[in-house]
């Protein structure tokens, strides 16, 4: 699979990631899927709702959570617009753009997982990942299209 998006959509993700530093940002990718890959139509920043109730030893600087209500509302919106929820993005403050074990455990096979590495407040790298049949992350090719 290939994840396709345009420069403005990528900039939306980068701006969100840098703006929430040193906390993790998160958001949803709405789009379409065809034999050539997944095409992002809209990037939807979502509030990171991680709380100590989930794990008191971790904070929003190391984890993100998307409220089920926000996820369901976005899925309904996508359906109403003949789109699909094709992926989730989040940032890794001061860490590489590689999935953590927690990312892997919580991931679903059908989604792309875009991760932005934000070092000292500046996005320096981003990569996308998909789960294989063994529930292991594999790199997903990214194609940034011209508008």
């Amino acid at each position: 699979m290939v994840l396709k998006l345009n420069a403005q959509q990528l900039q939306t993700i980068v701006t969100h990631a840098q703006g929430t530093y040193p906390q993790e940002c998160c958001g949803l990718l709405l789009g379409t899927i065809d034999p050539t890959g997944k095409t992002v139509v809209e990037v939807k920043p979502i509030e990171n709702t991680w709380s100590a109730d989930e794990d008191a030893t971790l904070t929003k600087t190391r984890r993100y959570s998307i409220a089920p209500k926000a996820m369901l509302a976005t899925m309904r919106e996508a359906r109403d617009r003949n789109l699909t929820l094709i992926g989730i993005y989040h940032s890794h403050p001061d860490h590489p753009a590689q999935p953590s074990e927690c990312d892997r455990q919580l991931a679903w096979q059908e989604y792309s997982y875009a991760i932005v590495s934000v070092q000292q407040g500046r996005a320096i790298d981003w990569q996308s990942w998909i789960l294989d049949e063994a529930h292991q992350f594999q790199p997903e090719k990214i194609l940034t299209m011209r508008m």
Side-chain angles (χ1 to χ4, degrees), residues 13-88:
I13 295 168
V14 166
T15 299
H16 188 203
Q18 291 177 163
T20 59
Y21 180 88
Q23 295 182 346
E24 289 194 14
C25 76
C26 55
L28 302 172
L29 304 173
L30 304 181
T32 60
I33 302 172
D34 65 33
T36 66
K38 299 174 186 173
T39 302
V40 176
V41 172
E42 183 179 347
V43 173
K44 196 159 184 74
I46 301 288
E47 178 187 0
N48 179 352
T49 59
W50 181 267
S51 72
D53 295 342
E54 296 178 67
D55 184 336
T57 64
L58 298 170
T59 67
K60 290 181 181 181
T61 61
R62 301 292 296 150
R63 290 290 183 268
Y64 77 93
S65 182
I66 297 173
K69 205 174 199 177
M71 182 71 97
L72 288 172
T74 302
M75 292 171 98
R76 274 191 216 107
E77 175 189 337
R79 183 192 62 225
D80 291 347
R81 295 172 54 199
N82 292 319
L83 298 174
T84 303
L85 176 59
I86 61 172
I88 297 171

Side-chain angles (χ1 to χ4, degrees), residues 59-132:
T59 67
K60 290 181 181 181
T61 61
R62 301 292 296 150
R63 290 290 183 268
Y64 77 93
S65 182
I66 297 173
K69 205 174 199 177
M71 182 71 97
L72 288 172
T74 302
M75 292 171 98
R76 274 191 216 107
E77 175 189 337
R79 183 192 62 225
D80 291 347
R81 295 172 54 199
N82 292 319
L83 298 174
T84 303
L85 176 59
I86 61 172
I88 297 171
Y89 74 86
H90 72 282
S91 61
H92 278 185
D94 299 316
H95 287 279
Q98 297 177 353
S100 67
E101 178 59 18
C102 180
D103 292 337
R104 188 188 69 78
Q105 290 176 357
L106 298 175
W108 295 49
Q109 276 189 325
E110 60 268 15
Y111 296 144
S112 295
Y113 288 88
I115 302 174
V116 181
S117 174
V118 182
Q119 303 291 323
Q120 300 302 307
R122 187 170 159 262
I124 63 161
D125 184 29
W126 89 290
Q127 297 181 37
S128 188
W129 304 86
I130 53 173
L131 282 176
D132 64 17

